[in-house]
mmCIF file of all heavy atoms in Angstrom:
data_model
loop_
_atom_site.group_PDB
_atom_site.id
_atom_site.type_symbol
_atom_site.label_atom_id
_atom_site.label_comp_id
_atom_site.label_asym_id
_atom_site.label_seq_id
_atom_site.Cartn_x
_atom_site.Cartn_y
_atom_site.Cartn_z
ATOM 1 N N ALA B 250 -48.354 29.190 92.095
ATOM 2 C CA ALA B 250 -47.855 29.790 93.225
ATOM 3 C C ALA B 250 -46.408 30.323 92.824
ATOM 4 O O ALA B 250 -46.015 31.306 93.296
ATOM 5 C CB ALA B 250 -47.769 28.976 94.574
ATOM 6 N N ILE B 251 -45.867 29.538 91.989
ATOM 7 C CA ILE B 251 -44.435 29.801 91.612
ATOM 8 C C ILE B 251 -44.207 29.770 90.079
ATOM 9 O O ILE B 251 -44.895 28.843 89.444
ATOM 10 C CB ILE B 251 -43.394 28.626 92.114
ATOM 11 C CG1 ILE B 251 -43.624 28.544 93.684
ATOM 12 C CG2 ILE B 251 -42.029 28.809 91.727
ATOM 13 C CD1 ILE B 251 -43.203 27.165 94.222
ATOM 14 N N ILE B 252 -43.524 30.670 89.521
ATOM 15 C CA ILE B 252 -43.106 30.578 88.119
ATOM 16 C C ILE B 252 -41.588 30.448 88.048
ATOM 17 O O ILE B 252 -40.812 31.107 88.685
ATOM 18 C CB ILE B 252 -43.465 31.918 87.416
ATOM 19 C CG1 ILE B 252 -45.101 31.840 87.243
ATOM 20 C CG2 ILE B 252 -42.807 31.955 86.053
ATOM 21 C CD1 ILE B 252 -45.542 32.947 86.174
ATOM 22 N N LEU B 253 -41.198 29.385 87.466
ATOM 23 C CA LEU B 253 -39.862 29.029 87.275
ATOM 24 C C LEU B 253 -39.426 29.503 85.897
ATOM 25 O O LEU B 253 -40.036 28.944 84.814
ATOM 26 C CB LEU B 253 -39.599 27.530 87.395
ATOM 27 C CG LEU B 253 -39.340 27.127 88.873
ATOM 28 C CD1 LEU B 253 -39.355 25.596 88.841
ATOM 29 C CD2 LEU B 253 -38.100 27.470 89.387
ATOM 30 N N ALA B 254 -38.411 30.319 85.688
ATOM 31 C CA ALA B 254 -38.092 30.704 84.323
ATOM 32 C C ALA B 254 -36.536 30.409 84.080
ATOM 33 O O ALA B 254 -35.850 30.920 84.839
ATOM 34 C CB ALA B 254 -38.386 32.278 84.199
ATOM 35 N N ASP B 255 -36.324 29.627 83.121
ATOM 36 C CA ASP B 255 -34.967 29.175 82.881
ATOM 37 C C ASP B 255 -34.490 30.088 81.831
ATOM 38 O O ASP B 255 -34.776 29.870 80.486
ATOM 39 C CB ASP B 255 -34.845 27.808 82.556
ATOM 40 C CG ASP B 255 -33.521 27.223 82.394
ATOM 41 O OD1 ASP B 255 -32.603 28.103 82.761
ATOM 42 O OD2 ASP B 255 -33.360 26.115 82.053
ATOM 43 N N GLU B 256 -33.617 31.010 82.054
ATOM 44 C CA GLU B 256 -33.111 32.008 81.022
ATOM 45 C C GLU B 256 -34.123 32.525 80.047
ATOM 46 O O GLU B 256 -34.150 32.363 78.860
ATOM 47 C CB GLU B 256 -31.956 31.423 80.270
ATOM 48 C CG GLU B 256 -30.911 30.613 81.115
ATOM 49 C CD GLU B 256 -29.592 31.048 80.794
ATOM 50 O OE1 GLU B 256 -29.339 31.931 79.839
ATOM 51 O OE2 GLU B 256 -28.637 30.525 81.379
ATOM 52 N N PRO B 257 -35.226 33.133 80.748
ATOM 53 C CA PRO B 257 -36.267 33.549 79.816
ATOM 54 C C PRO B 257 -36.001 34.573 78.707
ATOM 55 O O PRO B 257 -36.638 34.619 77.668
ATOM 56 C CB PRO B 257 -37.325 34.182 80.796
ATOM 57 C CG PRO B 257 -36.575 34.551 81.983
ATOM 58 C CD PRO B 257 -35.423 33.578 82.063
ATOM 59 N N THR B 258 -34.829 35.239 78.945
ATOM 60 C CA THR B 258 -34.451 36.271 77.944
ATOM 61 C C THR B 258 -33.461 35.875 76.994
ATOM 62 O O THR B 258 -32.846 36.637 76.325
ATOM 63 C CB THR B 258 -34.169 37.686 78.744
ATOM 64 O OG1 THR B 258 -33.018 37.333 79.501
ATOM 65 C CG2 THR B 258 -35.334 38.178 79.482
ATOM 66 N N GLY B 259 -32.952 34.665 77.214
ATOM 67 C CA GLY B 259 -31.636 34.140 76.674
ATOM 68 C C GLY B 259 -31.656 34.125 75.142
ATOM 69 O O GLY B 259 -30.737 34.472 74.355
ATOM 70 N N ASN B 260 -32.946 33.963 74.548
ATOM 71 C CA ASN B 260 -33.013 33.912 73.032
ATOM 72 C C ASN B 260 -33.726 35.176 72.408
ATOM 73 O O ASN B 260 -34.228 35.154 71.368
ATOM 74 C CB ASN B 260 -33.811 32.796 72.637
ATOM 75 C CG ASN B 260 -33.058 31.327 72.498
ATOM 76 O OD1 ASN B 260 -31.831 31.483 72.923
ATOM 77 N ND2 ASN B 260 -33.571 30.403 72.200
ATOM 78 N N LEU B 261 -33.812 36.160 73.240
ATOM 79 C CA LEU B 261 -34.456 37.432 72.892
ATOM 80 C C LEU B 261 -33.554 38.577 72.771
ATOM 81 O O LEU B 261 -32.357 38.639 73.498
ATOM 82 C CB LEU B 261 -35.613 37.705 73.845
ATOM 83 C CG LEU B 261 -36.565 36.688 74.062
ATOM 84 C CD1 LEU B 261 -37.588 37.039 75.223
ATOM 85 C CD2 LEU B 261 -37.456 36.378 72.851
ATOM 86 N N ASP B 262 -33.938 39.511 71.933
ATOM 87 C CA ASP B 262 -32.966 40.786 71.742
ATOM 88 C C ASP B 262 -33.301 41.657 73.145
ATOM 89 O O ASP B 262 -34.091 41.398 73.875
ATOM 90 C CB ASP B 262 -33.342 41.608 70.536
ATOM 91 C CG ASP B 262 -34.718 42.003 70.414
ATOM 92 O OD1 ASP B 262 -35.241 42.698 71.437
ATOM 93 O OD2 ASP B 262 -35.481 41.656 69.456
ATOM 94 N N LEU B 263 -32.543 42.629 73.240
ATOM 95 C CA LEU B 263 -32.440 43.480 74.546
ATOM 96 C C LEU B 263 -34.043 43.987 74.820
ATOM 97 O O LEU B 263 -34.397 43.934 75.927
ATOM 98 C CB LEU B 263 -31.616 44.712 74.359
ATOM 99 C CG LEU B 263 -30.189 44.452 74.682
ATOM 100 C CD1 LEU B 263 -29.223 45.628 74.349
ATOM 101 C CD2 LEU B 263 -30.131 44.111 76.236
ATOM 102 N N LYS B 264 -34.558 44.504 73.841
ATOM 103 C CA LYS B 264 -35.717 45.235 73.986
ATOM 104 C C LYS B 264 -36.955 44.241 74.455
ATOM 105 O O LYS B 264 -37.628 44.464 75.495
ATOM 106 C CB LYS B 264 -36.241 46.089 72.813
ATOM 107 C CG LYS B 264 -37.465 46.800 72.946
ATOM 108 C CD LYS B 264 -37.706 47.698 71.753
ATOM 109 C CE LYS B 264 -39.186 48.263 71.659
ATOM 110 N NZ LYS B 264 -40.091 47.067 71.281
ATOM 111 N N THR B 265 -37.043 43.131 73.685
ATOM 112 C CA THR B 265 -38.051 42.086 74.000
ATOM 113 C C THR B 265 -37.747 41.452 75.312
ATOM 114 O O THR B 265 -38.730 41.185 76.059
ATOM 115 C CB THR B 265 -38.186 40.959 72.907
ATOM 116 O OG1 THR B 265 -37.020 41.086 72.061
ATOM 117 C CG2 THR B 265 -39.495 41.262 72.071
ATOM 118 N N GLY B 266 -36.525 41.388 75.592
ATOM 119 C CA GLY B 266 -36.016 40.666 76.884
ATOM 120 C C GLY B 266 -36.516 41.557 77.924
ATOM 121 O O GLY B 266 -37.080 41.142 78.979
ATOM 122 N N HIS B 267 -36.391 42.777 77.778
ATOM 123 C CA HIS B 267 -36.758 43.805 78.809
ATOM 124 C C HIS B 267 -38.271 43.666 79.054
ATOM 125 O O HIS B 267 -38.697 43.738 80.259
ATOM 126 C CB HIS B 267 -36.396 45.175 78.203
ATOM 127 C CG HIS B 267 -36.589 46.260 79.063
ATOM 128 N ND1 HIS B 267 -35.603 46.910 79.754
ATOM 129 C CD2 HIS B 267 -37.822 47.021 79.528
ATOM 130 C CE1 HIS B 267 -35.918 47.885 80.555
ATOM 131 N NE2 HIS B 267 -37.298 47.981 80.422
ATOM 132 N N GLU B 268 -38.979 43.550 77.929
ATOM 133 C CA GLU B 268 -40.440 43.483 78.114
ATOM 134 C C GLU B 268 -40.987 42.246 78.924
ATOM 135 O O GLU B 268 -41.907 42.258 79.653
ATOM 136 C CB GLU B 268 -41.154 43.464 76.749
ATOM 137 C CG GLU B 268 -41.181 44.762 75.966
ATOM 138 C CD GLU B 268 -41.528 44.646 74.504
ATOM 139 O OE1 GLU B 268 -41.951 43.490 74.124
ATOM 140 O OE2 GLU B 268 -41.271 45.621 73.780
ATOM 141 N N ILE B 269 -40.242 41.155 78.570
ATOM 142 C CA ILE B 269 -40.650 39.920 79.283
ATOM 143 C C ILE B 269 -40.264 40.044 80.837
ATOM 144 O O ILE B 269 -41.064 39.758 81.682
ATOM 145 C CB ILE B 269 -39.776 38.682 78.713
ATOM 146 C CG1 ILE B 269 -40.243 38.435 77.409
ATOM 147 C CG2 ILE B 269 -39.918 37.531 79.533
ATOM 148 C CD1 ILE B 269 -41.582 37.904 77.108
ATOM 149 N N ILE B 270 -39.152 40.759 81.017
ATOM 150 C CA ILE B 270 -38.781 40.985 82.390
ATOM 151 C C ILE B 270 -39.815 41.863 83.108
ATOM 152 O O ILE B 270 -40.267 41.571 84.366
ATOM 153 C CB ILE B 270 -37.319 41.600 82.644
ATOM 154 C CG1 ILE B 270 -36.421 40.655 82.103
ATOM 155 C CG2 ILE B 270 -37.091 42.052 84.143
ATOM 156 C CD1 ILE B 270 -35.000 41.263 81.859
ATOM 157 N N GLU B 271 -40.357 42.860 82.456
ATOM 158 C CA GLU B 271 -41.397 43.698 83.068
ATOM 159 C C GLU B 271 -42.558 42.910 83.273
ATOM 160 O O GLU B 271 -43.227 43.103 84.311
ATOM 161 C CB GLU B 271 -41.463 44.875 82.153
ATOM 162 C CG GLU B 271 -40.586 46.073 82.412
ATOM 163 C CD GLU B 271 -41.067 47.251 81.765
ATOM 164 O OE1 GLU B 271 -42.022 47.281 80.946
ATOM 165 O OE2 GLU B 271 -40.482 48.488 82.069
ATOM 166 N N LEU B 272 -42.866 42.120 82.424
ATOM 167 C CA LEU B 272 -44.129 41.352 82.409
ATOM 168 C C LEU B 272 -43.901 40.400 83.757
ATOM 169 O O LEU B 272 -44.956 40.292 84.597
ATOM 170 C CB LEU B 272 -44.335 40.499 81.224
ATOM 171 C CG LEU B 272 -45.437 39.519 81.187
ATOM 172 C CD1 LEU B 272 -46.823 40.219 81.433
ATOM 173 C CD2 LEU B 272 -45.463 38.558 79.945
ATOM 174 N N LEU B 273 -42.921 39.736 83.930
ATOM 175 C CA LEU B 273 -42.691 38.880 85.143
ATOM 176 C C LEU B 273 -42.753 39.684 86.382
ATOM 177 O O LEU B 273 -43.370 39.368 87.373
ATOM 178 C CB LEU B 273 -41.369 38.240 85.013
ATOM 179 C CG LEU B 273 -41.200 37.082 84.019
ATOM 180 C CD1 LEU B 273 -39.807 36.628 83.931
ATOM 181 C CD2 LEU B 273 -42.166 36.080 84.238
ATOM 182 N N ARG B 274 -42.109 40.854 86.407
ATOM 183 C CA ARG B 274 -42.134 41.737 87.490
ATOM 184 C C ARG B 274 -43.583 42.155 87.865
ATOM 185 O O ARG B 274 -43.963 42.192 89.052
ATOM 186 C CB ARG B 274 -41.359 42.958 87.246
ATOM 187 C CG ARG B 274 -41.120 43.956 88.407
ATOM 188 C CD ARG B 274 -40.378 43.161 89.528
ATOM 189 N NE ARG B 274 -40.305 43.877 90.809
ATOM 190 C CZ ARG B 274 -40.075 43.358 92.015
ATOM 191 N NH1 ARG B 274 -39.722 42.161 92.061
ATOM 192 N NH2 ARG B 274 -39.970 44.084 92.996
ATOM 193 N N HIS B 275 -44.353 42.442 86.879
ATOM 194 C CA HIS B 275 -45.744 42.878 86.939
ATOM 195 C C HIS B 275 -46.544 41.730 87.698
ATOM 196 O O HIS B 275 -47.179 41.956 88.555
ATOM 197 C CB HIS B 275 -46.306 43.240 85.603
ATOM 198 C CG HIS B 275 -47.703 43.560 85.612
ATOM 199 N ND1 HIS B 275 -48.141 44.758 86.122
ATOM 200 C CD2 HIS B 275 -48.794 42.949 85.248
ATOM 201 C CE1 HIS B 275 -49.399 44.889 85.857
ATOM 202 N NE2 HIS B 275 -49.861 43.718 85.418
ATOM 203 N N LEU B 276 -46.364 40.482 87.127
ATOM 204 C CA LEU B 276 -47.059 39.330 87.620
ATOM 205 C C LEU B 276 -46.797 39.111 89.064
ATOM 206 O O LEU B 276 -47.573 38.843 89.929
ATOM 207 C CB LEU B 276 -46.752 38.046 86.835
ATOM 208 C CG LEU B 276 -47.163 38.178 85.439
ATOM 209 C CD1 LEU B 276 -46.560 36.892 84.679
ATOM 210 C CD2 LEU B 276 -48.708 38.117 85.316
ATOM 211 N N ASN B 277 -45.421 39.342 89.439
ATOM 212 C CA ASN B 277 -44.969 39.155 90.658
ATOM 213 C C ASN B 277 -45.574 40.196 91.667
ATOM 214 O O ASN B 277 -46.104 39.687 92.805
ATOM 215 C CB ASN B 277 -43.476 39.383 90.800
ATOM 216 C CG ASN B 277 -42.855 39.320 92.108
ATOM 217 O OD1 ASN B 277 -42.363 40.437 92.677
ATOM 218 N ND2 ASN B 277 -42.879 38.277 92.742
ATOM 219 N N LYS B 278 -45.751 41.392 91.332
ATOM 220 C CA LYS B 278 -46.244 42.543 92.088
ATOM 221 C C LYS B 278 -47.781 42.257 92.179
ATOM 222 O O LYS B 278 -48.410 42.356 93.257
ATOM 223 C CB LYS B 278 -46.026 43.850 91.492
ATOM 224 C CG LYS B 278 -44.671 44.266 91.577
ATOM 225 C CD LYS B 278 -44.597 45.244 92.803
ATOM 226 C CE LYS B 278 -43.102 45.742 92.669
ATOM 227 N NZ LYS B 278 -42.463 46.278 93.857
ATOM 228 N N GLU B 279 -48.401 42.083 90.979
ATOM 229 C CA GLU B 279 -50.001 42.040 90.973
ATOM 230 C C GLU B 279 -50.615 40.854 91.470
ATOM 231 O O GLU B 279 -51.453 40.825 92.244
ATOM 232 C CB GLU B 279 -50.450 42.326 89.473
ATOM 233 C CG GLU B 279 -50.144 43.581 88.886
ATOM 234 C CD GLU B 279 -50.882 44.705 89.541
ATOM 235 O OE1 GLU B 279 -52.159 44.519 89.563
ATOM 236 O OE2 GLU B 279 -50.348 45.629 89.988
ATOM 237 N N LYS B 280 -49.965 39.724 91.202
ATOM 238 C CA LYS B 280 -50.635 38.318 91.568
ATOM 239 C C LYS B 280 -49.823 37.719 92.675
ATOM 240 O O LYS B 280 -50.379 36.582 93.173
ATOM 241 C CB LYS B 280 -50.514 37.489 90.340
ATOM 242 C CG LYS B 280 -51.480 37.907 89.166
ATOM 243 C CD LYS B 280 -51.926 36.798 88.292
ATOM 244 C CE LYS B 280 -52.867 37.269 87.314
ATOM 245 N NZ LYS B 280 -53.550 36.151 86.600
ATOM 246 N N GLY B 281 -48.763 38.289 93.161
ATOM 247 C CA GLY B 281 -48.010 37.786 94.265
ATOM 248 C C GLY B 281 -47.402 36.463 93.848
ATOM 249 O O GLY B 281 -47.115 35.651 94.768
ATOM 250 N N VAL B 282 -47.134 36.187 92.611
ATOM 251 C CA VAL B 282 -46.457 34.895 92.261
ATOM 252 C C VAL B 282 -45.121 34.953 92.600
ATOM 253 O O VAL B 282 -44.303 35.954 92.351
ATOM 254 C CB VAL B 282 -46.637 34.785 90.628
ATOM 255 C CG1 VAL B 282 -46.147 33.393 90.294
ATOM 256 C CG2 VAL B 282 -48.090 34.852 90.284
ATOM 257 N N THR B 283 -44.605 33.933 93.193
ATOM 258 C CA THR B 283 -43.097 33.769 93.454
ATOM 259 C C THR B 283 -42.460 33.527 92.187
ATOM 260 O O THR B 283 -42.732 32.594 91.355
ATOM 261 C CB THR B 283 -42.872 32.533 94.322
ATOM 262 O OG1 THR B 283 -43.765 32.726 95.435
ATOM 263 C CG2 THR B 283 -41.437 32.754 94.753
ATOM 264 N N ILE B 284 -41.512 34.402 91.709
ATOM 265 C CA ILE B 284 -40.714 34.129 90.504
ATOM 266 C C ILE B 284 -39.396 33.814 90.752
ATOM 267 O O ILE B 284 -38.568 34.406 91.530
ATOM 268 C CB ILE B 284 -40.738 35.297 89.633
ATOM 269 C CG1 ILE B 284 -42.198 35.770 89.469
ATOM 270 C CG2 ILE B 284 -39.995 35.213 88.342
ATOM 271 C CD1 ILE B 284 -42.687 36.176 88.156
ATOM 272 N N ILE B 285 -38.879 32.573 90.145
ATOM 273 C CA ILE B 285 -37.505 32.143 90.335
ATOM 274 C C ILE B 285 -36.973 32.057 88.864
ATOM 275 O O ILE B 285 -37.522 31.205 88.028
ATOM 276 C CB ILE B 285 -37.450 30.814 91.060
ATOM 277 C CG1 ILE B 285 -38.089 30.888 92.283
ATOM 278 C CG2 ILE B 285 -36.042 30.335 91.140
ATOM 279 C CD1 ILE B 285 -38.254 29.501 92.954
ATOM 280 N N SER B 286 -35.877 32.792 88.583
ATOM 281 C CA SER B 286 -35.341 32.819 87.314
ATOM 282 C C SER B 286 -33.962 32.525 87.214
ATOM 283 O O SER B 286 -33.168 33.220 87.873
ATOM 284 C CB SER B 286 -35.746 34.172 86.706
ATOM 285 O OG SER B 286 -35.154 34.658 85.628
ATOM 286 N N ALA B 287 -33.639 31.609 86.487
ATOM 287 C CA ALA B 287 -32.168 31.364 86.256
ATOM 288 C C ALA B 287 -31.805 32.160 85.083
ATOM 289 O O ALA B 287 -32.479 32.276 83.996
ATOM 290 C CB ALA B 287 -31.997 29.927 85.868
ATOM 291 N N THR B 288 -30.659 32.792 85.157
ATOM 292 C CA THR B 288 -30.363 33.782 84.194
ATOM 293 C C THR B 288 -28.841 34.115 84.281
ATOM 294 O O THR B 288 -28.101 33.816 85.221
ATOM 295 C CB THR B 288 -31.147 35.130 84.272
ATOM 296 O OG1 THR B 288 -30.843 35.943 83.259
ATOM 297 C CG2 THR B 288 -30.735 35.847 85.502
ATOM 298 N N HIS B 289 -28.295 34.752 83.067
ATOM 299 C CA HIS B 289 -27.044 35.444 83.238
ATOM 300 C C HIS B 289 -27.235 36.835 82.591
ATOM 301 O O HIS B 289 -26.227 37.341 82.171
ATOM 302 C CB HIS B 289 -25.890 34.728 82.773
ATOM 303 C CG HIS B 289 -25.790 34.046 81.450
ATOM 304 N ND1 HIS B 289 -25.595 32.646 81.209
ATOM 305 C CD2 HIS B 289 -26.164 34.506 80.155
ATOM 306 C CE1 HIS B 289 -25.695 32.421 79.796
ATOM 307 N NE2 HIS B 289 -26.118 33.566 79.371
ATOM 308 N N ASP B 290 -28.490 37.288 82.568
ATOM 309 C CA ASP B 290 -28.774 38.527 81.983
ATOM 310 C C ASP B 290 -28.754 39.631 83.103
ATOM 311 O O ASP B 290 -29.685 39.574 83.978
ATOM 312 C CB ASP B 290 -30.206 38.364 81.312
ATOM 313 C CG ASP B 290 -30.538 39.677 80.684
ATOM 314 O OD1 ASP B 290 -30.007 40.754 80.775
ATOM 315 O OD2 ASP B 290 -31.641 39.631 79.878
ATOM 316 N N LEU B 291 -27.856 40.538 83.002
ATOM 317 C CA LEU B 291 -27.735 41.474 84.144
ATOM 318 C C LEU B 291 -29.104 42.322 84.316
ATOM 319 O O LEU B 291 -29.269 42.787 85.407
ATOM 320 C CB LEU B 291 -26.500 42.433 83.900
ATOM 321 C CG LEU B 291 -25.092 41.689 84.252
ATOM 322 C CD1 LEU B 291 -23.937 42.550 83.729
ATOM 323 C CD2 LEU B 291 -25.015 41.298 85.687
ATOM 324 N N LYS B 292 -29.831 42.518 83.152
ATOM 325 C CA LYS B 292 -30.984 43.339 83.424
ATOM 326 C C LYS B 292 -32.023 42.663 84.355
ATOM 327 O O LYS B 292 -32.689 43.481 85.002
ATOM 328 C CB LYS B 292 -31.744 43.339 82.006
ATOM 329 C CG LYS B 292 -30.979 44.103 80.864
ATOM 330 C CD LYS B 292 -31.982 44.485 79.768
ATOM 331 C CE LYS B 292 -32.580 43.208 79.082
ATOM 332 N NZ LYS B 292 -31.666 42.201 78.617
ATOM 333 N N MET B 293 -31.869 41.420 84.391
ATOM 334 C CA MET B 293 -32.625 40.722 85.393
ATOM 335 C C MET B 293 -32.631 41.120 86.902
ATOM 336 O O MET B 293 -33.515 41.065 87.671
ATOM 337 C CB MET B 293 -32.660 39.256 85.248
ATOM 338 C CG MET B 293 -33.077 38.578 83.961
ATOM 339 S SD MET B 293 -34.812 38.668 83.822
ATOM 340 C CE MET B 293 -35.335 36.991 84.579
ATOM 341 N N LEU B 294 -31.391 41.484 87.139
ATOM 342 C CA LEU B 294 -30.972 41.757 88.459
ATOM 343 C C LEU B 294 -31.758 42.970 89.018
ATOM 344 O O LEU B 294 -32.219 42.883 90.209
ATOM 345 C CB LEU B 294 -29.492 42.111 88.665
ATOM 346 C CG LEU B 294 -28.615 40.940 88.097
ATOM 347 C CD1 LEU B 294 -27.187 41.429 88.516
ATOM 348 C CD2 LEU B 294 -29.040 39.706 88.777
#
Side-chain angles (χ1 to χ4, degrees):
Chain B
I251 303 163
I252 286 188
L253 275 172
D255 189 6
E256 309 230 7
T258 60
N260 278 3
L261 302 175
D262 61 55
L263 275 172
K264 186 170 159 289
T265 14
H267 187 102
E268 285 167 13
I269 294 294
I270 294 167
E271 272 194 354
L272 178 62
L273 289 176
R274 185 64 189 165
H275 177 74
L276 296 171
N277 172 248
K278 288 260 189 203
E279 293 291 305
K280 298 201 169 200
V282 185
T283 310
I284 304 226
I285 303 166
S286 159
T288 185
H289 50 233
D290 183 348
L291 288 173
K292 290 195 302 310
M293 291 290 269
L294 299 191

